[in-house]
Amino acid sequence: MTHRLLSLIDVRDFGAETVRVGDLNADGEPDLLFVQSVHATREITCLTATTLRGEVLWQTGAPSADHGVIYSDLPVQVYDWDNDGRNEVLYVRQAVYAELPAGQGWPRERAARYEGDATMVVLEGATGKELSTFSLPAPADDCFLFADLTGRGRREDLVVKDRYWNMWGVSHAGEVLWHYEGSVGHFPAYGDVDNDGRDEVFTGFALIDHDGKVLFQHDPRGAHQDAAYAVQLPDGAWRLLFGNHGVHCLTPDGTELWSHPLAEAQHVVVGRYRTNSPLQVAVIDRGQPRADGTRDPATLYLYDMDGNELWKRVQPEGGWYAACTDINWLGAGAPQGIMVYARGPGQPVAIYDGNGEILDEFGMACTPDRSEGDRGAHYYCTRADVWGDGRDEVILFGSRGCCLYANTRPLAIPTLYNNNLYPGM
């Protein structure tokens, strides 16, 4: 056996398809934050903090088994916001959706008219106590990231956005620095692309400077990016990658170097998955829709940085929501793995190596009071080195369960030589 179950958490009625990882109680060990919301609204209703073993540290809001399923990303993060060495929890409290656009049904993505502002709420990580709040533009309740827009030397400014149409740069003090109107996609990427000590923000069809200046903008033709990634190559050059109905690789001036038409490139992740070149690009294509409402199976692709296809692996039937991320599964300088989850109802998470072979598979483990149906329910996956051994652990979570797996392979280390009893040499 190459992995073991580290922890099995009874999520009771606070189970969620959104989980954040971070040390909340400052004991030096990562904790878990379960985030519930009203389905298809992004309205956060309950936050539950637990240890890795499931001990509840605190809870704010009312937990509900009906609020554990998500439609999209949620605006919540764990971060040392005040730079005092202890993490806080930040989340966005929505403005009032006073009037919905004509004809808008499910889901609730924007309002025709808002009342009041959205609010960034800062909670003490150890207790969940509210520490402070500040106002955000009313529509800015989809997701946010931390970036250095003002040259503070630390990523403690904010980039906030609505669902698909607007994005704002906000200073650490809560001042709106700029507003970008355009196709912003699901989640932007960032990086100090021009090497001026401040971050640029990449939305797929546009690159925005730290001060809001648009460095390039392409016509999205009604589309949006489903995944964005900014990476600096070993020679110092930057590449901007994104997925929509295809995968695209751009230079910082907006020139497209290569692209591949795909049905729905939902995840684009750059990593060192092989040893014969510094970086490669992993992409999940969620499959072409069929006439009966189903889709062709999702496919995992691996490309080199020049856009050449190295291999592809078709996923099990029914996994139209399949996703991938990089994972440091082997440690000790070994190539990263590619972790693919949501591969279909009841299908295990799989970790692929750079040759397209499956290294390990993991199924959802649930507490004894859960049914077999719970184990086969939809769930998400993330990774973090919560064990502190230099390798990532796998965290599976959903509305009905949460569990953690660790790699049990002996950790590869460099050969030890010239051993002696006198370690001063």
Side-chain angles (χ1 to χ4, degrees):
M1 186 172 178
T2 56
H3 60 267
R4 68 184 175 96
L5 186 65
L6 270 183
S7 179
L8 182 62
I9 296 176
D10 181 3
V11 297
R12 298 183 284 257
D13 55 355
F14 62 78
E17 292 181 350
T18 296
V19 168
R20 306 296 190 223
V21 182
D23 184 2
L24 296 172
N25 57 5
D27 66 351
E29 180 178 288
D31 302 300
L32 303 177
L33 182 70
F34 294 84
V35 186
Q36 291 190 329
S37 63
V38 178
H39 184 50
T41 71
R42 305 185 308 282
E43 179 185 346
I44 293 173
T45 57
C46 183
L47 300 171
T48 304
T50 79
T51 67
L52 295 177
R53 286 159 290 281
E55 174 192 359
V56 175
L57 300 174
W58 53 263
Q59 188 174 77
T60 180
S64 169
D66 295 330
H67 290 173
V69 179
I70 59 171
Y71 162 76
S72 65
D73 195 17
L74 296 178
V76 59
Q77 299 289 349
V78 174
Y79 191 60
D80 183 5
W81 176 244
D82 55 11
N83 199 20
D84 68 348
R86 293 172 175 261
N87 284 326
E88 285 74 47
V89 172
L90 289 83
Y91 79 96
V92 176
R93 183 183 296 149
Q94 289 186 333
V96 175
Y97 279 52
E99 180 183 344
L100 297 181
Q104 177 172 272
W106 183 94
R108 191 184 77 178
E109 293 193 323
R110 68 194 307 186
R113 182 173 62 86
Y114 297 89
E115 290 181 356
D117 296 324
T119 303
M120 182 65 77
V121 182
V122 183
L123 305 180
E124 185 177 54
T127 66
K129 174 186 175 183
E130 187 172 307
L131 298 177
S132 63
T133 64
F134 56 90
S135 295
L136 295 173
D141 61 19
D142 183 75
C143 65
F144 65 91
L145 61 82
F146 302 102
D148 187 357
L149 303 177
T150 55
R152 296 168 65 94
R154 182 172 182 264
R155 289 187 168 115
E156 55 188 25
D157 302 312
L158 296 168
V159 176
V160 299
K161 60 182 282 293
D162 64 7
R163 187 68 182 134
Y164 292 124
W165 309 278
N166 297 274
M167 186 170 66
W168 296 265
V170 179
S171 74
H172 187 267
E175 175 192 3
V176 175
L177 302 171
W178 48 261
H179 169 221
Y180 171 77
E181 185 174 2
S183 179
V184 295
H186 284 301
F187 199 93
Y190 63 92
D192 184 10
V193 175
D194 58 9
N195 199 33
D196 68 349
R198 291 163 293 191
D199 287 323
E200 284 67 56
V201 184
F202 175 56
T203 66
F205 292 99
L207 181 66
I208 296 91
D209 208 348
H210 66 274
D211 58 1
K213 177 184 177 182
V214 178
L215 298 176
F216 74 77
Q217 186 174 34
H218 295 158
D219 184 357
R221 300 178 184 176
H224 64 261
Q225 59 86 357
D226 289 318
Y229 204 103
V231 61
Q232 190 170 26
L233 304 181
D235 65 2
W238 282 82
R239 295 292 180 264
L240 308 176
L241 297 104
F242 75 99
N244 57 353
H245 295 294
V247 56
H248 309 264
C249 180
L250 313 178
T251 61
D253 65 2
T255 301
E256 184 172 271
L257 295 179
W258 56 264
S259 66
H260 292 286
L262 300 170
E264 185 182 356
Q266 187 77 19
H267 290 256
V268 178
V269 184
V270 178
R272 179 179 170 263
Y273 307 115
R274 298 161 66 97
T275 58
N276 59 351
S277 60
L279 294 168
Q280 301 84 39
V281 185
V283 178
I284 279 281
D285 178 10
R286 287 188 165 179
Q288 190 69 36
R290 296 166 173 162
D292 62 0
T294 63
R295 290 187 184 229
D296 292 338
T299 302
L300 172 66
Y301 291 87
L302 190 69
Y303 301 100
D304 66 22
M305 290 303 301
D306 293 322
N308 299 305
E309 182 183 311
L310 300 175
W311 49 259
K312 64 181 179 182
R313 296 292 182 268
V314 177
Q315 301 301 299
E317 189 79 27
W320 68 267
Y321 40 79
C324 70
T325 187
D326 59 294
I327 180 169
N328 179 22
W329 186 240
L330 300 178
Q336 295 165 286
I338 306 167
M339 185 166 65
V340 184
Y341 56 98
R343 301 166 71 221
Q347 292 292 334
V349 171
I351 296 179
Y352 289 83
D353 66 18
N355 296 317
E357 302 299 324
I358 292 180
L359 289 171
D360 279 293
E361 292 184 315
F362 314 86
M364 170 60 82
C366 292
T367 48
D369 60 316
R370 297 288 181 176
S371 69
E372 281 301 318
D374 293 326
R375 292 173 178 81
H378 177 70
Y379 53 84
Y380 289 83
C381 190
T382 190
R383 76 285 185 263
D385 182 14
V386 300
W387 207 240
D389 65 350
R391 296 181 289 195
D392 287 335
E393 281 66 58
V394 174
I395 306 172
L396 279 66
F397 54 90
S399 60
R400 305 176 188 180
C402 179
C403 61
L404 286 76
Y405 289 97
N407 190 349
T408 57
R409 292 176 178 84
L411 180 63
I413 61 173
T415 301
L416 302 178
Y417 64 99
N418 286 347
N419 275 222
N420 64 82
L421 294 177
Y422 305 94
M425 69 169 287

